[in-house]
Every structure is written in C-alpha cells, then in structure tokens.
Amino acid sequence: MTPEVGHYALVLALGLAFIQAIVPLYGAHTRDVALMRLGSSTAIMQFVFVALSFAALTRAYVTSDFSVVNVFENSHSTMPLIYKFTSVWGNHEGSMLLWVLILALFGASVAAFGANLPATLKANVLAVQAWIACSFYLFILLTSNPFLRLPRAPLEGRDLNPILQDIGLAVHPPLLYLGYVGFSIAFSFAIAALIEGRIDAAWARWVRPWTLAAWMFLTVGISMGSYWAYYELGWGGFWFWDPVENASLMPWLAGTALLHSAVVMEKRNALKIWTILLAILAFSLSLIGTFLVRSGVLTSVHTFATDPTRGVFILGILILFIGGALTLFAWRAPLLRQGGLFAPISREGALVFNNLFLTIACLTVFVGTLYPLALESLTGEKISVGAPFFNLTFAPLFIPLMIAMPFGTLLAWKRGDLYGVAQRLMAALGVGIVATAATLAATGGQHVLAPFGIGLGFFVIFGALIDLAERVALFRRPLATSLSRATGLPRSVWGTAFAHAGIGVTLIGIVCASTWGTERIVAVKEGQTVTLSGYDLTFNGMVQRQGPNFRELAGRFTVSEGGSAVGTMSPSKRTFASRSMSTTEAALLSRGFSQLYLSLGDANADGSLAIRFYYKPLVLLIWIGTLIMAFGGILSLSDRRLRVGAPKPAKAKPALQAAE
C-alpha cells in the first residue's frame, strides 16, 4: 500500500496547491486577512504531503519493491544502501518528485519565516509559488507518475545506470535543484510586486536572502557536478561546455547579477525595474534548463527523459510562466516609480557594469547552447558549438569584469573617486604584476595569456583583502583597534570578500590545469614504468575484485618522485551484469593542490594495457575556490540584517506608485 499512499499524498498536495493558488490571491485583492493567512497553512501542509509522497517512494527503493515500475527500472536488490537512496532521484520520475519536494520546502519556508512580510505581499508570493507547484504536480501525475505498478512483481530489478552509482549522485542533483528551485522565490516576489504595483528597498531586503541561498546552493551544485564528471568519466576534464552544463550556468550568471542588482536597490532604491526583470530571468533560465534535460531535446549523460509528450508539457509550462511573467512585466513595469540617480563612477556604477557583463555572458551561453537546437529544428542541419566558441566569446567577457571587481567594493555610493581607489589597489596590482612576471619566468615565456590570468587571479584575491584592510584601517590604526573593528564588521562584508577571493582562486586553478596540465596515453606491460612531469608510474599488475553488484578489474600502480615512493593508484573497470554495461573508475593521487589522474583503457593483444596518465597542476583550486565562494554566501546569509529582514514601513504607501 505504500506506493498508493505516496500517489494519493501527491494528489492531495495538488489540491492544496490549487487552494493556495487562488484563495490568498483573492484575499490580497479584497484585503481579507483570514483568506491571506490561509496561504501559509496550505503551504506548510502541501510540503507535509509532498514529503510523505517522497518518503513513500524512498521506502519502495530501500525495500526493493520491484512491483513499482520506477523501482524495477532503476534499482537492484544487491545495490549498496546508499545507492538505493540516491536511486530515488537517479531517474526522471523520481528527480521530478525531488524537484516538487524542494519547491514545497521553499514555499513552506516563506510561510514559516516570512512573518515580517506585508500580508498582501506574502499572500501573493505564496499564490505564485502555488501556481508553479500546480503545473509540476500535474506534469508528474499525468506524464511522469513514479508510483505506477506492474501486474506481477519481478524477482529482480534492472539496476541503476552504472554511471550514476556514485556518491556524486547523492550530492550534485539535490544541491543543483535547491539552486534551480530556490530562484522560484525571487520569481514569486517579482510577480507579487508587479501584481501589487509596488516595489521599494524593503522588497530588495526581503528577496536577497532567498536569492543568496539559491545562488549558494547552485554554486556548490555546479562545482560538485564538475568534480563528479572530472573523476567519473575518465577524460580528466572539469568542464565540457555540455548543453546541460550550460543550462545550469545560465541561471547562475543571472542569479549573480540579481544579487548585485538587489544590493543597489536596497542601498540606493535604484535599478528597480532591472532587478525585477533579473528575478524573472533567473528562474526562467532554470525552467529552460529543466526543459532541456527533461524533454528529450538533448542526448547527454545528464539527461533522463526522452519522451516527447513530456517535452510538450514542459514547453507549455515555459510558455505559461515565462511568457506570462514577461507579459505582466511589460504591462506593469512602466507604472513603477524609478529609483534614485547616481554618478557613473560610483559603487552603483560598478555594480551596473557587473550586471552588464554578466548578462552579456549569459546571453552568449544562451545563444551558443540553443542556436544549434533551433537550427536543427528549422532546417534539419546539425552543427556543433563547443569549447572553441565559448572560450573565444565567454572568457573575454570575464576579464574586464574581474578587473573591475576589486574597484566596486572600494568605490563610494552615489559618487566615487576612481583615482583614489586605484591608489589603494596599487598593492594588489603589484602582487598581480609580480605573479604574472614570476609565471612568465618559470614557464620560459611559452604562454602569454595564462600568466596574465594568474596575475588577474591574484589581483582579485588581494583586492578583496585590501577592501577588508581599508574597512578596519589596518596599518593606519593600532592593531588592537583594527582587530576590534574587524570583529564589528557586518558578516555580509566578510561574505563579499570571501566570495570575490574564491573567484580569484578558481581562476588560478582553471588557468593552471588547462595550460600546464600534461598527459600520456601509452600501453604498458607489468613491471614497466612511465614518467610524466617528474613522477614515475610503475605498473604492478591487475587484480580481480567482486563488488556488491559488479565485477571489477583493477590495476595496481606505484607512484614515485625522485626515487621515493609517494603513493599507489588503483584505477579499474567495473562490469555490471544486470545492465551489461561497464564503467571506468579513475584513480586520483593528490600532491598538494595538484593531482595525478590515471584511468584504464583496453587490453591489447600483446598483453599490454592502455592507460591515460595525467598531471593536473593546482586543479583542486577550481573546486576549493567555489567552496570559498559558497562560504562567503553563508557568511552573508548569517548577517543579522538579512536574517531579521527589512523593518515594516511606519506608514502604508499607496498600492500603486505611478511614474510621473
């Protein structure tokens, strides 16, 4: 009966979502407090029923209930317990259930923690969230029901896709969905503001924590997905410009722009209309990413669904929400009062510059990702847009953005002194120049752009440190005074510094791994040694191992440096009999922030074994930098000003502020 309970719980959640979508909206229109409060209780109960539905599917997987079609197609009784849990969302139907679970969680969080929101705004936000929920509940129930039964329960399941039998499945999709779905709150706030016809600095204060949380989850989700692909696929790459990877990058870029735009709106009551548009676009791009993954338009290791019916349904959701939101924006945005003015050389101006380049970069990725699909659907011609296009168009856009980044935090609001800021950044510029020159000298001048990238990364990192030093008056006041001022700095200031420094760290890792990484693809016999970048790799033979639901053929290798052993590596090939599939499991050996990477190829007729041996200098900085960025987000999110939210206005303003 458990699957039936899960199914009916989802139906009840749909019913509650319909109530939440209509009643609070009507209550906000009529100013009926009781009807508006109903939105909070239905949002919380909706989450309870979705959680019950998700728990029912999880129980079916854990107990290997193969009478459920979804469990039969994606599980096996001998799978480790952790993979039985992760199999719940390792398929299309289960992943969509995880999507609505997170959607309901965010809606319930607004209901529970939005006590300081104006009643009408809260009611409208919860109503918009419910309309989104209704569409996805209907999508699941009509096209992707995870609780369908088989007439007769098979004795064994077909097993989960071997590529997905990895701890990465436990981390990457939930974090990614928390980011994707988290932007729905910013979207709902934007639509609610357009419905109400009022937007002010308090609105920006309310929307920032939700946007920041979504951005933080998406940052870590993309990072963990990159690391998962890096070690799982056996190619040694960390980013392939795969269309589905791009689908996650686009909302991240829009969300980053939204965070900075919301700061300007909160501090200076400016960029109102632009901030509303970014809030709509961030979630719209998340929906487009969902369409690309779930519709069958793309064939990728990331995609689950290939049913065109589902694609048509999701396309209808896109038209409804993106088209409807942009139509409402075009109608209501001109009626919103414009914000304050500021000089081009100011912190606001720097943040506008930031937004300009982020949105252009997002547009570049959007065109490069969707143009081949549109061309193929219209003309039947197939073209490939890959790394060369994105490296030539996307990368140059980030150079001026990163140069401007340290200036933005040091410029004053409204009107800044560019020359004075440049003087304060001379130390960071000096560090960047020294790093560039040292890299050029160390590499013999073989590359020009790469040392510049290293210098730029150091400039960004030390620019963030100088911002902190200026705020605490380091070296201008006694050390005790500076330390006292440091402890009194708002956490959002520390968060900004960490986030910016993390970008610099990631840049250094990307440049080093991409430019100076080395590789050898060779065939070795037992006892032979391969040398790469000062490391000696000796092949010691093969060994057979039996896993819980696979057989594994593993290689044994010893790694030496300067004649001394520094570690062992054991890459393998796993064969999953139930799926008749094989996977390649790479072996990693970290040396500081660098890594040795080894994967197995095929055995040759002469008894030798093909291997791929890579040296990835400072590659770990790529993911360490993203974790530093996320830590900065945590610090900012813990700032009391964001946790408490904006104070309620002392005097109610008119519902619609007409532009004069």
Side-chain angles (χ1 to χ4, degrees):
M1 286 294 293
T2 300
E4 285 70 28
V5 170
H7 180 263
Y8 289 126
L10 201 59
V11 173
L12 289 173
L14 172 62
L16 287 169
F18 271 124
I19 296 172
Q20 183 184 329
I22 297 171
V23 175
L25 196 64
Y26 180 74
H29 178 70
T30 59
R31 296 298 192 269
D32 189 317
V33 176
L35 294 182
M36 287 190 285
R37 286 178 177 172
L38 187 63
S40 295
S41 57
T42 52
I44 293 172
M45 287 307 300
Q46 183 192 147
F47 170 69
V48 170
F49 281 112
V50 178
L52 177 62
S53 180
F54 190 84
L57 184 61
T58 302
R59 186 178 186 277
Y61 268 94
V62 171
T63 59
S64 296
D65 184 357
F66 298 125
S67 69
V68 180
V69 176
N70 189 259
V71 179
F72 165 68
E73 292 180 344
N74 300 282
S75 188
H76 195 277
S77 61
T78 60
M79 281 172 52
L81 183 60
I82 179 64
Y83 298 147
K84 290 183 179 181
F85 276 109
T86 59
S87 293
V88 177
W89 56 81
N91 58 87
H92 168 74
E93 293 82 4
S95 67
M96 292 312 301
L97 190 59
L98 176 64
W99 174 283
V100 294
L101 175 67
I102 295 173
L103 186 67
L105 172 63
F106 275 103
S109 298
V110 172
F113 303 112
N116 63 323
L117 294 173
T120 54
L121 178 63
K122 184 177 180 181
N124 286 328
V125 167
L126 291 176
V128 175
Q129 279 289 114
W131 280 114
I132 299 171
C134 284
S135 64
F136 280 97
Y137 290 145
L138 288 171
F139 173 71
I140 293 174
L141 291 170
L142 297 179
T143 73
S144 309
N145 190 345
F147 298 106
L148 295 178
R149 289 272 200 177
L150 290 168
R152 293 183 179 180
L155 295 177
E156 193 53 84
R158 292 180 176 174
D159 209 352
L160 180 66
N161 185 335
I163 294 178
L164 300 179
Q165 294 190 36
D166 187 89
I167 193 63
L169 185 63
V171 179
H172 170 56
L175 288 173
L176 201 65
Y177 284 7
L178 283 165
Y180 274 163
V181 182
F183 284 129
S184 68
I185 299 295
F187 176 87
S188 297
F189 267 95
I191 300 303
L194 291 173
I195 292 172
E196 201 169 343
R198 185 178 68 188
I199 182 171
D200 51 23
W203 179 92
R205 176 70 66 84
W206 288 318
V207 83
R208 273 184 64 201
W210 303 102
T211 304
L212 182 58
W215 175 88
M216 192 171 59
F217 284 124
L218 189 57
T219 299
V220 181
I222 293 173
S223 173
M224 294 300 99
S226 167
Y227 189 69
W228 183 14
Y230 165 73
Y231 71 76
E232 178 65 25
L233 298 182
W235 303 335
F238 51 85
W239 191 261
F240 304 97
W241 291 108
D242 180 283
V244 182
E245 290 177 328
N246 296 347
S248 64
L249 179 61
M250 289 187 288
W252 185 87
L253 293 169
T256 305
L258 173 60
L259 277 177
H260 291 85
S261 179
V263 171
V264 177
M265 185 176 165
E266 179 188 342
K267 298 292 186 182
R268 299 290 305 146
N269 204 28
L271 301 183
K272 294 181 178 180
I273 295 176
W274 176 243
T275 304
I276 288 284
L277 180 60
L278 284 175
I280 293 172
L281 291 179
F283 183 60
S284 296
L285 290 168
S286 296
L287 289 178
I288 290 173
T290 303
F291 171 71
L292 291 176
V293 177
R294 308 293 163 194
S295 64
V297 169
L298 298 175
T299 301
S300 164
V301 296
H302 300 82
T303 57
F304 295 130
T306 56
D307 185 352
T309 304
R310 295 168 176 170
V312 172
F313 201 111
I314 296 179
L315 186 60
I317 294 175
L318 291 184
I319 294 172
L320 174 63
F321 287 102
I322 300 178
L326 293 177
T327 301
L328 181 63
F329 175 81
W331 174 38
R332 300 288 283 178
L335 302 178
L336 298 174
R337 187 184 297 277
Q338 297 295 324
L341 301 176
F342 52 85
I345 304 300
S346 62
R347 187 174 297 185
E348 298 96 321
L351 292 173
V352 169
F353 182 88
N354 159 286
N355 270 223
L356 175 65
F357 277 87
L358 283 172
T359 49
I360 293 175
C362 184
L363 179 62
T364 299
V365 178
F366 182 84
V367 171
T369 302
L370 295 186
Y371 174 72
L373 302 177
L375 183 66
E376 182 179 354
S377 64
L378 294 175
T379 67
E381 181 184 354
K382 291 187 177 183
I383 65 170
S384 176
V385 176
F389 168 80
F390 291 107
N391 290 339
L392 287 174
T393 56
F394 181 84
L397 291 171
F398 257 64
I399 293 175
L401 181 62
M402 297 192 70
I403 292 173
M405 192 182 299
F407 286 85
T409 55
L410 289 169
L411 284 168
W413 293 103
K414 197 171 182 178
R415 184 179 298 277
D417 179 9
L418 185 62
Y419 178 72
V421 171
Q423 286 183 312
R424 283 179 280 175
L425 285 174
M426 288 303 294
L429 179 62
V431 171
I433 291 173
V434 169
T436 302
T439 306
L440 276 170
T443 57
Q446 296 179 354
H447 303 276
V448 177
L449 292 179
F452 171 74
I454 299 294
L456 183 59
F458 275 100
F459 173 68
V460 170
I461 294 169
F462 278 84
L465 295 177
I466 285 175
D467 176 45
L468 293 176
E470 288 291 324
R471 290 176 183 273
V472 302
L474 189 65
F475 305 126
R476 300 200 309 270
R477 300 285 179 87
L479 181 59
T481 303
S482 295
L483 291 175
S484 176
R485 296 183 66 169
T487 57
L489 282 179
R491 292 183 185 176
S492 60
V493 172
W494 287 98
T496 299
F498 272 95
H500 288 183
I503 293 175
V505 171
T506 294
L507 175 62
I508 293 172
I510 290 173
V511 170
C512 289
S514 301
T515 306
W516 294 291
T518 54
E519 66 175 292
R520 288 195 66 181
I521 302 176
V522 297
V524 295
K525 292 184 177 180
E526 189 171 345
Q528 285 188 334
T529 298
V530 177
T531 299
L532 180 69
S533 298
Y535 292 94
D536 296 321
L537 180 75
T538 303
F539 179 34
N540 299 321
M542 304 292 290
V543 60
Q544 287 275 3
R545 293 193 289 236
Q546 179 64 48
N549 60 332
F550 60 84
R551 288 188 62 83
E552 184 176 47
L553 182 63
R556 296 178 299 171
F557 295 83
T558 302
V559 181
S560 302
E561 183 182 19
S564 301
V566 296
T568 60
M569 303 181 75
S570 184
S572 66
K573 280 183 173 290
R574 293 178 179 176
T575 302
F576 294 77
S578 57
R579 282 264 181 170
S580 298
M581 290 179 61
S582 297
T583 62
T584 298
E585 303 297 320
L588 303 174
L589 180 63
S590 296
R591 302 291 293 162
F593 295 122
S594 304
Q595 279 192 332
L596 295 171
Y597 184 109
L598 180 63
S599 63
L600 299 182
D602 296 325
N604 299 315
D606 62 356
S608 63
L609 179 69
I611 62 169
R612 291 173 175 263
F613 188 33
Y614 301 88
Y615 174 64
K616 303 284 185 178
L618 301 184
V619 69
L620 291 178
L621 292 182
I622 298 173
W623 302 291
I624 291 173
T626 59
L627 294 179
I628 293 173
M629 292 163 59
F631 179 69
I634 293 173
L635 287 177
S636 295
L637 197 59
S638 67
D639 193 305
R640 184 179 181 276
R641 294 173 299 173
L642 291 186
R643 286 187 285 110
V644 172
K648 294 182 178 180
K651 183 179 180 181
K653 296 184 179 181
L656 183 65
Q657 296 179 346
E660 302 190 6

